[in-house]
Amino acid sequence: MKIAVLKEAAGETRCAAIPETVKKFVALGAEVAVESGAGESASISDADFETAGAKLGSRSDVLRGAGIILTVNGPDGAALTGAEKGALLVGALDPMRRRDAVDAYAGAGLEALAMEWMPRITRAQSMDILSSQSNLAGYKAVIDGAAAYGRAFPMMMTAAGTVSPAKLFVMGVGVAGLQAIATGRRLGAQVSATDVRSATKEQIQSLGAKPIFVENVAGIEGEGAGGYATEMSEEYQKAQAELVSSHIAKQDIVITTALIPGRPAPRLISDAQVASMRPGSVIVDLAADAGGNVEGTVNGERVIRHGVTIIGASNLARTLAADSSALFARNLYNFLSAFWDKDQGAPVLPDDDEIVKSIRLTQGGKVVNERLTAA
Ligand code: NAD
């Protein structure tokens, strides 16, 4: 089995393989071909890949004869010219927003596997690219927030007087939010956090932060299928807005991470609430790419409103390319090795497997995933 690792398009810094995963694929009996320069922006040289046992070559060299193609982002159909029919294309293919590309994969006879549709089951945890990348994004959001904040995070007692600790508020306590809380605590901030899923209350407390929850609306349980949040009732949204209003005015840094699958990101902070914050405060909106949790967020940009810096953070994992590549590459390896059939020297993907059913987009020249065919 030949595995091709593609060099990503401009703007992407990550790589879908690292020397460690190359070695592991070689140990499974595979041959690995890496496109020249694929690891450069993640601090991995061609020589590092070669030492790990990969062959380096051009796009057409690596695609020729490859049964598996590893990528971070889904390439355009045209960028895969020369790929073998039946080859697996594995990566973050963004199927909802890139339907044309998915059709092109089907047309080229590729079997496209969208890793971001990995189900949230215990068996798939080590294959989950959303978790691995969110973790790093949560960390980097706090670092970026701290860098943009014109004051220090920890309390400092100096001969010239005391510096008060920063107050950090995390809205949305999933994978990214938990890491943001932990990072804020490590930097010495006073941290509080909120979510619609009541299960997060204990997690917030266990990290030494203060939970801020809507208590006075009956019948709330924001947890829907697969551990994801659901959209909340109007009554809840109103109570949440009031709670946030009184809390946010006293905060220095706010990190928002709230997402609802298949829906625009919920609006958690209004312009009036931004205006209530002290000038020099910073908001990092990790949901910027999904429409933003904050009124005034501009995706990929930094804007100042009422003296408050709002960072529309999109894909922060890219700014930690070496670590995010390592975790991403291991997610891909963990997935493929779990389905590897030693006798056939290739992965075997059963049609009735929950993971396969969730992530397989195309097969036999057709789009087969229910989420796409139903749309
Ligand atoms: P996510 O990225 O979908 O959303 C981020 C957070 O925003 C969630 O905690 C969500 O509840 C919250 N949120 C949504 N609407 C909100 C609102 N109006 N106000 C406040 N908060 C709001 O979530 P995620 O990081 O992917 O994680 C969600 C859960 O799934 C976690 O418990 C996580 O541990 C679990 N998970 C499990 C697996 C697995 O078992 N394989 C994999 C990934 C995540």
Side-chain angles (χ1 to χ4, degrees):
M1 168 59 68
K2 177 175 169 183
I3 301 177
V5 178
L6 302 187
K7 179 174 163 58
E8 299 295 316
E12 181 54 75
T13 55
R14 295 167 293 175
C15 180
I18 56 168
E20 174 195 311
T21 59
V22 168
K23 268 191 211 150
K24 286 179 169 169
F25 281 124
V26 170
L28 285 179
E31 181 192 322
V32 183
V34 177
E35 190 174 345
S36 300
E40 207 172 311
S41 51
S43 313
I44 309 166
S45 67
D46 286 355
D48 293 337
F49 276 127
E50 253 166 355
T51 309
K55 286 207 176 75
L56 276 290
S58 66
R59 170 74 51 107
S60 59
D61 291 339
V62 300
L63 285 178
R64 195 175 314 116
I68 300 174
I69 304 163
L70 303 184
T71 182
V72 175
N73 303 302
D76 293 339
L80 291 170
T81 309
E84 305 291 332
K85 272 208 160 59
L88 304 179
L89 174 68
V90 191
L93 305 181
D94 198 6
M96 286 300 187
R97 287 193 281 197
R98 299 180 59 255
R99 183 54 206 264
D100 288 354
V102 175
D103 289 339
Y105 303 150
L110 297 171
E111 186 167 332
L113 303 167
M115 291 294 285
E116 62 269 70
W117 282 2
M118 193 58 73
R120 282 177 170 182
I121 53 175
T122 309
R123 182 163 65 100
Q125 257 172 358
S126 66
M127 313 170 190
D128 189 339
I129 59 166
L130 292 185
S131 289
S132 70
Q133 306 302 293
S134 293
N135 210 324
L136 290 167
Y139 158 81
K140 195 61 192 293
V142 177
I143 300 299
D144 283 356
Y149 182 52
R151 294 182 164 91
F153 260 43
M155 183 169 96
M156 293 184 203
M157 312 262 259
T158 80
T162 302
V163 172
S164 354
K167 293 195 178 71
L168 173 83
F169 182 38
V170 177
M171 303 185 75
V173 187
V175 178
L178 283 172
Q179 189 56 254
I181 295 174
T183 306
R185 293 270 300 149
R186 285 184 204 119
L187 287 179
Q190 283 179 358
V191 184
S192 57
T194 190
D195 200 291
V196 291
R197 294 180 301 114
S198 53
T200 58
K201 207 168 184 175
E202 234 170 70
Q203 298 168 352
I204 293 167
Q205 277 162 334
S206 73
L207 287 172
K210 188 176 172 209
I212 305 289
F213 276 70
V214 172
E215 309 278 6
N216 54 345
V217 179
I220 299 163
E221 184 37 83
E223 182 142 346
Y228 284 108
T230 50
E231 214 159 32
M232 305 308 285
S233 67
E234 255 178 48
E235 189 192 6
Y236 180 95
Q237 288 181 25
K238 195 165 162 273
Q240 188 186 37
E242 278 164 20
L243 182 75
V244 169
S245 286
S246 59
H247 189 64
I248 215 164
K250 294 173 243 146
Q251 302 304 308
D252 302 308
I253 316 279
V254 180
I255 311 282
T256 69
T257 78
L259 292 172
I260 301 165
R263 314 273 314 154
R267 178 56 46 84
L268 302 182
I269 301 179
S270 67
D271 186 61
Q273 287 166 331
V274 173
S276 75
M277 295 179 75
R278 180 158 74 133
S281 301
V282 180
I283 301 176
V284 184
D285 189 346
L286 276 180
D289 189 37
N293 293 140
V294 184
E295 190 173 354
T297 288
V298 182
N299 189 22
E301 283 182 33
R302 193 172 280 227
V303 296
I304 297 180
R305 299 258 186 277
H306 313 290
V308 175
T309 302
I310 305 175
I311 302 176
S314 75
N315 211 329
L316 285 185
R318 279 186 187 153
T319 65
L320 298 163
D323 283 330
S324 52
S325 298
L327 301 187
F328 192 101
R330 288 189 198 115
N331 291 144
L332 300 192
Y333 172 78
N334 291 337
F335 161 63
L336 288 166
S337 62
F339 287 92
W340 205 269
D341 182 302
K342 283 230 165 73
D343 296 334
Q344 298 195 33
V348 171
L349 304 177
D351 291 342
D352 59 353
D353 185 277
E354 191 180 353
I355 292 177
V356 176
K357 276 196 287 192
S358 301
I359 69 171
R360 185 187 265 152
L361 305 180
T362 61
Q363 195 182 28
K366 289 200 185 82
V367 175
V368 294
N369 194 292
E370 277 178 10
R371 285 170 74 175
L372 292 173
T373 51

